[in-house]
Amino acid sequence: GENVEQHPSTLSVQEGDSAVIKCTYSDSASNYFPWYKQELGKRPQLIIDIRSNVGEKKDQRIAVTLNKTAKHFSLHITETQPEDSAVYFCAASIRSGNEKLTFGTGTRLTIIP
Amino acid sequence: DSGVTQTPKHLITATGQRVTLRCSPRSGDLSVYWYQQSLDQGLQFLIQYYNGEERAKGNILERFSAQQFPDLHSELNLSSLELGDSALYFCASSVTASSYEQYFGPGTRLTVT
């Protein structure tokens, strides 16, 4: 089955700097890659996603890039703010009639004021 | 608020007992997914239902079962509970079985003592 690895497990950046989180996946058939943000004790919230026919997608301060050849995708957060502090999960799925998400192990992002 | 609801919010029970977790998907969503989040295992897919029928199974123990009712709400039944079953249980919903976006409910925190 699919395996998703996520790095780093923890990340601290100064407020205003950029943060990058990277994930690799194993199944070349995976074609959907969402990113979720989870604040302490709360639900995972979908913040951005990308499909395999696109190389990059941007939404304000958040962007995701996908390299299908290398089987990795990354989340980029620019101009970080204290409210960006949370755990971020990447995931991958295959459109095959069921879309179970295989999650990475999460990155705890801390923004230092 | 994603529109997905889960009850109860918290559940404390003893080993060997049985509990039922309930999930109501967003209005119009036909597909429901169950995920388990524990400290050492991250977010793990358990099972998916689509319009009342089981669609996909993940790492779901035989002691666990689920169903989706005609009104599309879903229940996850956990029996012969063990200490290791303590976790956050999330359900997510999507419009169809092949829709990409999954929206998570607030979760049920299960503590087995």
Side-chain angles (χ1 to χ4, degrees), chain A residues 6 32 34-38 43-48 75 87-91 101 103, chain B residues 35 43 92 100-104:
Chain A
Q6 183 171 348
Y32 174 63
W35 286 88
Y36 285 84
K37 174 183 180 182
Q38 187 177 29
R43 75 187 80 199
Q45 286 186 290
L46 179 65
I47 56 171
I48 196 167
L75 178 71
V87 178
Y88 291 81
F89 291 95
C90 63
L101 293 171
F103 283 89
Chain B
Y35 293 88
L43 275 158
Y100 289 111
E101 295 86 2
Q102 293 183 25
Y103 295 92
F104 281 73

Side-chain angles (χ1 to χ4, degrees), chain B residues 4 9 13 15 23-24 30 37-38 42 44 61 68 72 77 89-90 97 101 112:
Chain B
V4 180
K9 199 170 183 178
T13 190
T15 54
C23 168
S24 292
L30 300 176
Q37 185 175 37
S38 53
Q44 299 286 325
L61 299 172
Q68 186 178 28
L72 300 177
N77 302 296
Y89 291 85
F90 288 102
E101 295 86 2
V112 182

Side-chain angles (χ1 to χ4, degrees), chain B:
Chain B
D1 186 359
S2 66
V4 180
T5 61
Q6 287 186 251
T7 55
K9 199 170 183 178
H10 301 280
L11 200 49
I12 302 174
T13 190
T15 54
Q17 296 299 305
R18 173 189 169 93
V19 297
T20 297
L21 312 184
R22 182 188 170 106
C23 168
S24 292
R26 296 185 313 164
S27 178
D29 284 2
L30 300 176
S31 199
V32 170
Y33 307 76
W34 286 96
Y35 293 88
Q36 179 191 56
Q37 185 175 37
S38 53
L39 281 174
D40 58 345
Q41 293 289 322
L43 275 158
Q44 299 286 325
F45 168 73
L46 295 177
I47 197 164
Q48 177 201 4
Y49 278 82
Y50 172 70
N51 205 20
E53 293 189 3
E54 182 185 304
R55 196 65 175 246
K57 253 183 177 177
N59 302 320
I60 188 165
L61 299 172
E62 285 191 13
R63 301 184 285 109
F64 297 0
S65 65
Q67 53 185 325
Q68 186 178 28
F69 294 87
D71 67 351
L72 300 177
H73 91 270
S74 178
E75 293 181 355
L76 179 67
N77 302 296
L78 314 176
S79 61
S80 304
L81 285 167
E82 302 175 0
L83 295 177
D85 297 327
S86 296
L88 262 172
Y89 291 85
F90 288 102
C91 79
S93 72
S94 65
V95 175
T96 70
S98 54
S99 294
Y100 289 111
E101 295 86 2
Q102 293 183 25
Y103 295 92
F104 281 73
T108 293
R109 181 173 294 281
L110 173 66
T111 302
V112 182
T113 61

